[in-house]
Amino acid sequence: MLLPELVTLLAPVLDLVRLTDEVPEPEDVKAGWGALAIFALMALAVALLGWSLFRQLRKVEHGRVTGVYGDVPAEPRDGADDGDDRNDSGRP
């Protein structure tokens, strides 16, 4: 395969990187406010995406109930499980 040939070609390069790459001391590495801000913004973005998803799902359910998609208007689902796993057509 190609992998053993690739390893033999990259071995000198990896050795050179190990020799020249300096690892910082633990006291030189500090968490910053910038990383915290980026993390908070990403968490906010995920929360907004989730909120938007639930709004769109509510719109789709409302459209299904009112017959917007060409279906016969149906009763809204209340989330209760009646134990019947069949869909509206009666097939499992």
Side-chain angles (χ1 to χ4, degrees), residues 76-82:
R77 294 181 184 175
D78 58 359
D81 186 17
D82 58 357

Side-chain angles (χ1 to χ4, degrees), residues 62-84:
H62 178 69
R64 187 190 67 80
V65 169
T66 57
V68 171
Y69 304 118
D71 297 336
V72 177
E75 295 295 320
R77 294 181 184 175
D78 58 359
D81 186 17
D82 58 357
D84 188 14

Side-chain angles (χ1 to χ4, degrees), residues 2 14 17-18 22 28-29 32-34 36 41 46 48 63 65-66 70 74 76 78 84 86 91:
L2 182 65
L14 292 175
V17 168
R18 283 190 203 117
E22 296 178 9
D28 294 337
V29 178
W33 290 104
L36 179 63
L41 288 173
V46 169
L48 288 174
V65 169
T66 57
D78 58 359
D84 188 14
R86 294 183 294 173
R91 286 181 276 153

Side-chain angles (χ1 to χ4, degrees), residues 21-92:
D21 190 22
E22 296 178 9
V23 178
E25 297 296 324
E27 60 269 1
D28 294 337
V29 178
K30 298 176 183 154
W33 290 104
L36 179 63
I38 290 170
F39 180 78
L41 288 173
M42 289 173 56
L44 179 65
V46 169
L48 288 174
L49 285 170
W51 175 72
S52 177
L53 172 69
F54 283 120
R55 284 186 61 212
Q56 295 302 320
L57 289 175
R58 273 190 252 131
K59 287 180 186 179
V60 168
E61 180 65 19
H62 178 69
R64 187 190 67 80
V65 169
T66 57
V68 171
Y69 304 118
D71 297 336
V72 177
E75 295 295 320
R77 294 181 184 175
D78 58 359
D81 186 17
D82 58 357
D84 188 14
D85 291 336
R86 294 183 294 173
N87 57 13
D88 293 337
S89 65
R91 286 181 276 153

